[in-house]
């Protein structure tokens, strides 16, 4: 992975920069010892790592602003970081950068049930946002599988989704306001505990901007009353096509399940070995979950099973109680971990139109044969967000390269059928160089013009999102101006 | 009037333009500050490009009439869940609302409170920026974080950053049944509390409005439930019990009076009760602030009426000629001029929002008023600077609806 050459000027003045940062933060919150900065050298895309110049852990919006002002004056790149669970290398440092972690900022600032919002510092983990309100019957809807670890900061930057977003939407649909510090230290407050402010949709723009427009320090999030109950049903089919058709029919029928999850044979076999969830022996397995009162659940599941039966399933398995429901989810929830235990894998994240799922699954199978690497499929079928897992052996020379080449082919396929490169993990460095597959030069240019407005010196989160070639002239111009 | 036939035509036209363009869809709204310039309508870019009911996706050219889209969705028993308002009743305008106009102004309706706004259902756009360059963003799939979200930026930017040529949506199945709970005689404060109680229940309320002067002149609070018939019936009874403290609720079921129920919500959605008002504002505010804002705030010294939607999070403020005249002397100016009265009300609403947090936007008013006051809530300095920066990038010639959303 090509990264821009570190600026020698910046590396030269390293000590001065660190001194200046220590003048605005307590000593222990400016980490410069190479042993300690090691923790920050990569995120969950561990194939790429780079030690930053130093790491700062500010404790307030004011401290973030002070740090950014210094970095702006010194022309130092800044890499924002939440919990470092990005799968796209979104938080990968460069050698001449300061990593700014918001993990110390994790307070709940306000909860308001009548107006249905919570205001938190963005270092707070996703799950602990729900944790702060669930005793009162509320929850925060976006639920990435990484929710125990990932921070609201990263969720906003990546516009993260989760298993339940078919019904509840992703981060951008559940956020009301943010405090965002611009690269020059300016603190901006956007939105608040009200809906649809007039003016430009700043929130929409910040969500998914991968830490390149500003550092988000506080967020006002929409919370929802918990449904009365939820229950899954498991449906097995002997072909991907039929399972795909079933998904389409369920959606068309007017039921809106909270989740429709899909697993293929490869994944079923692996999770059976590891989690022993007792899944049926089949080609494709669906887990469909609905919510409501017991009667409502019964009615919705009735309709879903009727549709499922019309497609001649191998098995339909009900959950009679919470324990059985948990068993149905057990395999799905342990899928990524189980796959990780048998192999190294690369997790893709393309989205395709739901109606194209059968075709895409078939093509992925063919590509897998062509490249000689196994691919497992486990994903959110209701919204077409696929997660093909390419299995490879990191110790085998050439395997990673083959895996990356296969990954690129699969993502191109997703775009070809009308989909996109990434549904929830973000572009980061991982898919940066594939942006041209989905976008024309003018489309990428338009996005970079937004970056020009927010961060004219191109210092925030360098080398992510845009192909280096596309941003080269801008970065050079900014460096000259400095 | 310029009326490009397709996107290419639109792109050529904008690339060659040197003078300001006033961009419209169907011309049903007179939003924002008046724009001087040649009128450009996108109504020539018409037609549904793609409709995939099994994927809940619809893509259409920007000039497609909303009615055409709704008819196509209707045939598959689906809908635009954000329930876009039709401005013609309120503004007394003719014309055909287009889907591009809906996106351009992020137009939603009562279901916004539960399902989300127009911007929440937007999957992607194609547009032509102020230099004539065609730009696409997002796409037709439901989850997409590839690159920055310019689609949402375009949504609500009212043509000042680009002229939409195509828009894509996530659509939803139509509910099988609807029920409405009606509570009568509540004060503003009680109504906001009742709506909060309903919205914090697990019963999925998809509409929560309060009209202080209902059809038979008593205050009425409306709560809507939608879904499968049995489920709606169950939830309606549960909700009625939950709200017992606010008085007995009437339950109006769609099976009993479908037209009535639908018409009632269209009436709320289109703010039809304010059709006769001279000036109307749309105020986005924290619901629990509404009582203080009205009862112990504005209504102490200024004459106007209010309708609450979105559980109180949206307040429509309307004033007729007599009320505007009454407000003219509010600042001790001795004036009885209606325009001055409207300015007083406008300034008060925006100042009130600046202090409590929120936005007041003038949506209806004589041109003299719209050219005199900041139609949109002025933004804090850093955001105003960013907005200016974006306009310079996307409209370097300064020809796209100049002045419409402030400088
Ligand atoms: C096992 C596993 C499962 C996962 N499952 C899902 C899933 O189901 N759905 C999903 O969407 N994702 C998933 N992810 C990906 C990842 O968890 C999300 O992208 C998450 O939102 C990242 O949050 P983070 O706090 O760890 O961010 P980080 O990894 O620290 O950073 C992510 C990005 O955010 C930027 N950033 C961080 N903090 C800020 C800030 N304060 N201001 C501005 N920008 C900032 C960073 O620069 C970087 O670009 C998964 C990851 C793992 C490892």
């Amino acid at each position: 992975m090509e990264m821009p050459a570190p600026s020698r000027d910046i590396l030269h003045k390293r000590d001065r920069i660190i001194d200046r940062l220590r003048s605005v933060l307590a000593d222990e919150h400016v980490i410069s010892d190479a042993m300690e900065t090691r923790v920050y050298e990569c995120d969950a895309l561990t194939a790429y790592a780079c030690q930053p110049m130093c790491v700062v852990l500010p404790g307030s919006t004011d401290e973030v602003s002070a740090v950014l002002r210094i970095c702006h004056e010194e022309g130092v790149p800044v890499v924002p970081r939440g919990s470092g669970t990005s799968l796209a290398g979104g938080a990968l440092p460069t050698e001449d950068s300061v990593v700014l972690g918001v993990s110390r900022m994790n307070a709940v600032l306000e909860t308001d049930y009548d107006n249905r919002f919570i205001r938190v510092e963005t270092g707070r983990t996703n799950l602990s946002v729900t944790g702060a309100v669930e005793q009162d019957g509320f929850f925060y809807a976006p639920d990435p599988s990484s929710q125990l670890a990932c921070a609201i900061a990263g969720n906003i930057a990546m516009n993260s989704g989760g298993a339940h977003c078919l019904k509840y939407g992703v981060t951008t649909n559940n956020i009301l306001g943010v405090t965002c510090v611009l690269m020059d230290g300016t603190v901006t407050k956007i939105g608040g505990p009200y809906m649809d402010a007039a003016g430009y949709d700043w929130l929409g723009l910040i969500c998914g901007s991968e830490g390149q427009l500003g550092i988000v320090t506080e967020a006002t999030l929409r919370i929802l009353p918990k449904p009365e109950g939820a229950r899954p049903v498991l449906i097995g089919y002997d072909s991907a096509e039929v399972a795909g058709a079933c998904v389409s029919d369920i959606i068309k029928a007017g039921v809106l399940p909270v989740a429709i999850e899909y697993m293929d044979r490869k994944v079923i076999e692996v999770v059976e070995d590891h989690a022993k969830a007792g899944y049926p022996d089949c080609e494709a397995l669906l887990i469909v979950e609905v919510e409501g009162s017991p009667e409502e659940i019964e009615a919705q599941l009735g309709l879903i099973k009727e549709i499922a039966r019309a497609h001649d399933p191998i098995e339909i398995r009900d959950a009679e109680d919470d324990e059985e429901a948990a068993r149905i989810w057990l395999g799905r929830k342990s899928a990524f971990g189980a796959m990780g235990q048998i192999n190294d894998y690369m997790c893709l994240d393309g989205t395709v139109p739901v109606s194209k799922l059968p075709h895409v699954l078939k093509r992925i199978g063919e590509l897998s044969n062509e490249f000689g690497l196994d691919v497992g499929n486990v994903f959110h079928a209701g919204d077409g967000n696929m997660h093909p897992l390419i299995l490879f052996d990191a110790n085998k020379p050439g395997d990673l390269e083959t895996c990356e080449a296969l990954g690129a082919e699969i993502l191109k396929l997703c775009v070809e059928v009308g989909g996109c490169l990434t549904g929830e993990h973000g572009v980061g460095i991982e898919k940066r160089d594939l942006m041209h597959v989905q976008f024309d030069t003018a489309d990428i240019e338009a996005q970079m013009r937004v970056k020009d407005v927010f961060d004219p010196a191109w210092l925030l989160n360098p080398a992510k999102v845009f192909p280096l070639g596309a941003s080269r002239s801008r970065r050079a111009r900014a460096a000259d101006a400095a | 009037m310029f009326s490009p036939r397709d996107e290419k035509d639109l792109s050529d036209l904008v690339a060659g333009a040197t003078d300001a363009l006033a961009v419209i869809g169907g011309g049903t709204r007179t939003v924002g500050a008046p724009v001087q310039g040649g009128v450009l309508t996108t109504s020539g870019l018409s037609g549904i490009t793609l409709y995939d009911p099994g994927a809940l996706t619809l893509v259409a050219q920007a000039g497609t009439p909303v009615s055409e889209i709704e008819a196509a969705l209707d045939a598959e028993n689906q809908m635009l869940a954000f329930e876009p308002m039709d401005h013609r009743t309120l503004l007394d305008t003719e014309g055909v609302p287009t889907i591009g106009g809906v996106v351009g102004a992020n137009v939603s309706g009562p279901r916004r409170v539960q399902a989300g706004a127009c911007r929440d259902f937007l999957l992607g756009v194609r547009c032509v920026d102020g230099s004539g360059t065609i730009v696409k963003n997002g796409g037709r799939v439901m989850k997409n974080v590839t690159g920055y979200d310019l689609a949402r930026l375009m949504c609500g930017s009212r043509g000042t950053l680009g002229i939409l040529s195509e828009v894509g949506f996530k659509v939803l199945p139509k509910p099988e049944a609807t029920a409405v709970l009606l509570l009568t005689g509540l004060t503003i404060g009680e109504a906001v509390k009742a709506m909060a109680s309903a919205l914090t229940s697990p019963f999925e309320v998809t509409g929560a409005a309060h009209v202080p002067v209902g059809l038979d002149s008593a205050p009425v609070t409306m709560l809507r439930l939608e879904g499968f018939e049995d489920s709606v019936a169950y939830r309606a009874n549960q909700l009625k019990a939950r709200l017992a403290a606010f008085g007995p609720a009437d339950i109006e079921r769609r099976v009993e009076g479908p037209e009535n129920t639908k018409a009632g919500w269209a009436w709320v959605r289109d703010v039809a009760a304010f059709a006769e008002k001279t000036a109307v504002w749309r105020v986005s505010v924290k619901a629990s602030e509404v009582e203080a804002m009205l009862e112990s705030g504005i209504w102490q010294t200024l004459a106007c009426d209010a309708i609450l939607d979105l559980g109180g999070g949206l307040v429509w403020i309307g004033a007729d000629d007599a009320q505007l005249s009454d407000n003219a002397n509010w600042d001790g100016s001795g004036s009885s001029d209606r325009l001055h009265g409207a300015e007083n009300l406008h300034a008060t609403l925006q100042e009130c929002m600046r202090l409590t947090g929120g936005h007041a936007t003038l949506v209806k008013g004589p041109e003299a008023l719209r050219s005199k006051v900041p139609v949109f809530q002025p933004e804090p300095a850093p955001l105003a600077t960013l907005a200016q920066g974006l306009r310079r990038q996307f409209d370097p010639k300064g020809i796209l609806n100049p002045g419409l959303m402030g400088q």
Side-chain angles (χ1 to χ4, degrees):
Chain A
M1 184 65 54
E2 187 197 348
M3 291 297 274
S7 151
R8 239 175 288 145
D9 287 352
I10 293 173
L11 295 177
H12 269 310
K13 55 183 181 183
R14 176 178 185 272
D15 291 345
R16 185 178 90 202
I17 292 163
I18 290 169
D19 281 350
R20 284 195 70 186
L21 292 170
R22 289 218 163 102
S23 74
V24 295
L25 295 184
D27 277 2
E28 69 265 32
H29 299 139
V30 180
I31 304 168
S32 58
D33 183 289
M35 288 300 283
E36 292 174 58
T37 55
R38 176 131 254 159
V39 189
Y40 300 89
E41 69 178 9
C42 68
D43 52 28
L45 183 70
T46 49
Y48 302 100
C50 174
Q51 284 264 39
M53 190 163 64
C54 73
V55 177
V56 293
L57 302 174
S60 67
T61 299
D62 285 345
E63 287 190 358
V64 170
S65 166
V67 166
L68 288 181
R69 211 171 304 127
I70 292 170
C71 293
H72 186 246
E73 280 166 19
E74 300 282 356
V76 182
V78 173
V79 177
R81 184 179 175 102
S83 303
T85 67
S86 169
L87 289 167
L92 178 72
T94 55
E95 219 179 302
D96 56 359
S97 68
V98 170
V99 168
L100 190 162
V102 291
S103 55
R104 286 179 57 232
M105 300 174 59
N106 57 12
V108 171
L109 302 170
E110 190 181 359
T111 46
D112 181 334
Y113 296 126
D114 277 348
N115 294 295
R116 302 174 305 288
F117 74 87
I118 183 170
R119 192 158 57 88
V120 298
E121 291 181 319
T122 55
R124 195 170 184 86
T125 61
N126 174 292
L127 193 61
S128 68
V129 171
T130 289
V133 294
E134 69 184 341
Q135 73 282 2
D136 297 304
F138 287 82
F139 72 110
Y140 173 61
D143 57 343
S145 324
S146 52
Q147 67 182 154
L148 192 61
C150 68
I152 293 300
N155 292 178
I156 293 172
M158 292 312 197
N159 191 14
S160 301
H164 293 83
C165 60
L166 182 57
K167 176 163 179 194
Y168 295 112
V170 295
T171 304
T172 193
N173 310 115
N174 289 279
I175 186 164
L176 296 166
V178 293
T179 299
C180 178
V181 189
L182 303 181
M183 186 61 214
D184 65 3
T186 308
V187 177
T188 58
K189 289 195 193 281
I190 299 170
Y194 48 84
M195 284 172 277
D196 305 327
Y200 294 154
D201 190 350
W202 301 114
L203 281 177
L205 195 55
I206 296 291
C207 267
S209 64
E210 305 205 9
Q212 292 198 311
L213 301 184
I215 294 205
V216 182
T217 55
E218 274 180 37
T220 305
L221 306 169
R222 192 162 88 118
I223 51 174
L224 299 173
K226 264 200 268 186
E228 289 175 88
R231 208 188 313 152
V233 60
L234 181 151
I235 310 160
Y237 285 109
D238 61 8
S239 93
E241 277 88 347
V242 180
C246 177
V247 170
S248 243
D249 284 355
I250 290 173
I251 288 176
K252 257 199 293 200
V255 224
L256 195 64
V258 275
I260 307 181
E261 298 288 303
Y262 179 105
M263 274 184 265
D264 70 4
R265 175 176 287 282
K266 179 91 218 161
V267 178
I268 298 168
E269 283 171 2
V270 174
V271 298
E272 268 313 297
D273 282 354
H274 285 258
K276 309 244 174 327
Y279 285 162
D281 178 22
C282 60
E283 288 304 316
L285 191 152
L286 299 175
I287 299 174
V288 185
E289 180 157 280
V290 298
E291 286 178 349
S293 68
E295 294 77 20
E296 289 176 289
I297 287 177
E298 209 51 61
Q300 293 180 70
L301 286 182
L303 190 60
I304 288 168
K305 286 188 281 189
E306 195 184 307
I307 296 166
R309 268 194 287 271
H311 291 277
D312 196 15
I314 288 185
E315 183 175 341
I316 295 185
R317 186 178 301 173
D318 280 306
E320 299 297 339
D321 52 32
D322 287 353
E323 200 181 316
E324 286 184 26
R327 280 190 77 75
I328 287 181
W329 274 111
L330 174 70
R332 170 61 181 93
K333 292 199 166 156
S334 55
F336 284 76
M339 295 297 280
Q341 285 186 18
I342 58 159
N343 254 107
D344 299 303
Y345 70 75
M346 178 168 142
C347 174
L348 303 179
D349 170 47
T351 308
V352 302
V354 178
S355 46
K356 297 282 172 27
L357 278 171
H359 167 72
V360 172
L361 285 165
K362 184 162 143 266
R363 277 294 294 145
I364 289 178
E366 290 164 8
L367 287 168
S368 156
N369 283 338
E370 253 170 63
F371 282 76
L373 289 179
D374 274 342
V375 178
N377 286 291
V378 44
F379 60 93
H380 316 301
D383 48 36
N385 188 191
M386 306 191 71
H387 288 316
L389 301 176
I390 308 179
L391 307 181
F392 70 104
D393 182 351
N395 294 322
K396 194 166 142 197
D399 237 27
L400 174 64
E401 288 72 20
T402 312
C403 167
E404 287 184 334
L406 172 54
E409 281 313 307
I410 293 175
L411 292 182
K412 282 180 197 161
L413 169 65
C414 292
V415 174
E416 238 169 67
V417 299
C420 66
L421 298 172
T422 170
E424 59 180 18
H425 295 166
V427 178
I429 52 160
E430 193 202 18
K431 284 157 295 234
R432 182 186 76 188
D433 297 317
L434 288 172
M435 285 286 275
H436 281 301
V437 174
Q438 188 177 331
F439 293 114
D440 294 330
T441 306
D443 306 330
I444 295 177
E445 185 67 23
Q447 296 177 30
M448 291 195 299
R449 281 190 264 153
V450 172
K451 168 88 169 157
D452 289 338
V453 172
F454 279 76
D455 176 22
W458 277 66
L459 293 174
L460 264 176
N461 212 8
K464 317 289 155 45
V465 184
F466 304 111
L468 287 187
S471 65
R472 182 161 289 123
S473 62
R474 281 179 156 81
R475 287 181 288 118
R477 207 184 317 137
D480 286 347
Chain B
M1 167 124 77
F2 304 106
S3 181
R5 282 158 317 198
D6 55 27
E7 188 182 66
K8 170 77 172 48
D9 207 18
L10 172 65
S11 150
D12 290 346
L13 200 148
V14 176
T18 47
D19 295 327
L21 295 168
V23 186
I24 62 168
T28 57
R29 271 167 296 137
T30 40
V31 286
V35 174
Q36 308 303 329
V39 174
L40 183 152
T41 172
T42 54
S43 56
L45 281 68
S46 187
I48 294 171
T49 330
L50 177 146
Y51 178 28
D52 186 350
L56 301 178
T57 315
L58 182 138
V59 183
Q61 291 192 66
T64 314
V66 175
S67 56
E68 185 179 329
I69 289 174
E70 282 174 343
L73 290 169
D74 223 38
E76 293 287 343
N77 219 10
Q78 296 187 337
M79 62 175 182
L80 293 174
F82 55 93
E83 210 178 1
M85 166 182 180
D86 183 339
H87 283 77
R88 287 176 295 187
T89 314
L90 178 65
L91 302 180
D92 191 24
T93 46
E94 309 269 314
V96 179
T98 65
I99 197 64
V102 166
V103 174
N106 188 23
V107 178
S108 310
R111 207 181 282 104
R112 192 279 171 256
V113 74
Q114 185 256 351
C118 174
R119 55 89 80 185
D120 292 299
F121 288 88
L122 187 68
L123 300 179
V125 300
R126 293 178 65 89
C127 64
V128 171
D129 75 6
S131 312
T133 309
I134 297 170
V135 175
K136 68 167 180 297
N137 190 265
R140 58 166 288 203
V141 287
M142 281 190 232
K143 271 171 84 186
N144 186 347
V145 296
T146 322
Y148 297 169
D149 194 343
L150 302 192
R152 286 202 169 75
L153 177 62
M154 289 298 160
C155 185
S157 69
R158 293 168 167 83
T160 59
L161 299 176
I163 304 175
L164 294 167
S165 48
E166 192 177 79
V167 293
F169 291 103
K170 172 182 178 178
V171 299
L172 284 185
K174 268 198 178 163
E176 177 184 284
T178 304
V180 182
L181 264 74
L182 300 170
L183 293 159
T184 39
L186 302 188
T187 63
I188 298 267
E190 289 164 347
V192 169
K193 288 203 182 75
M195 291 191 286
S197 173
L199 289 164
T200 49
S201 79
F203 307 124
E204 297 202 343
V205 170
T206 65
H210 175 73
V211 189
V213 185
L215 285 177
D216 49 7
S217 79
V220 58
T221 312
M222 307 162 63
L223 298 161
R224 180 172 60 183
L225 297 164
E226 296 174 304
F228 291 109
E229 194 166 335
D230 291 347
S231 157
V232 166
Y234 161 80
R235 286 183 281 141
N237 287 322
Q238 293 285 320
L239 191 58
K240 182 174 176 169
R242 182 179 168 107
L243 298 177
F246 297 95
D250 268 344
I251 299 180
E252 205 175 82
R253 297 269 299 283
R254 179 161 163 185
V255 269
E256 291 153 19
E259 287 322 310
N260 222 1
T261 306
K262 232 171 132 182
W265 285 98
W267 184 72
V268 171
R269 182 195 70 192
D270 297 343
V271 208
F274 281 178
E276 306 298 322
K277 299 287 186 196
T278 314
V280 177
W281 289 261
R282 189 182 192 282
V283 181
S284 289
V285 63
K286 185 159 86 178
S288 60
E289 297 282 354
V290 172
E291 185 183 11
M293 171 186 122
L294 294 173
E295 307 268 13
S296 44
I298 293 162
W299 282 346
Q300 292 288 323
T301 54
L302 286 157
C304 62
D305 292 308
I307 295 172
L308 278 55
D309 194 359
L310 311 188
L314 169 59
V315 183
W316 295 98
I317 298 283
D320 57 25
D321 282 350
Q323 288 170 318
L324 292 179
S325 293
D326 281 353
N327 293 336
N329 191 31
W330 174 80
D331 50 359
S333 57
S335 156
S336 62
D337 175 35
R338 291 192 298 264
L339 180 61
H340 190 66
E343 279 177 75
N344 283 338
L345 185 49
H346 181 84
T348 308
L349 286 169
Q350 289 196 334
E351 176 60 10
C352 179
M353 285 306 99
R354 192 181 66 79
L355 296 173
T356 58
H359 280 229
T361 312
L362 176 66
V363 282
K364 178 182 182 179
E367 185 164 329
L369 176 63
R370 284 184 291 117
S371 44
K372 209 158 173 201
V373 299
V375 165
F376 293 89
Q377 180 85 27
E379 293 193 291
L383 290 180
T385 307
L386 290 172
Q388 226 171 48
L390 287 177
R391 278 199 284 268
R392 224 171 278 141
Q393 288 285 351
F394 286 89
D395 179 23
K397 293 189 280 186
I399 57 170
L400 299 181
N401 283 339
L404 181 89
M405 291 184 78
Q407 293 322 298

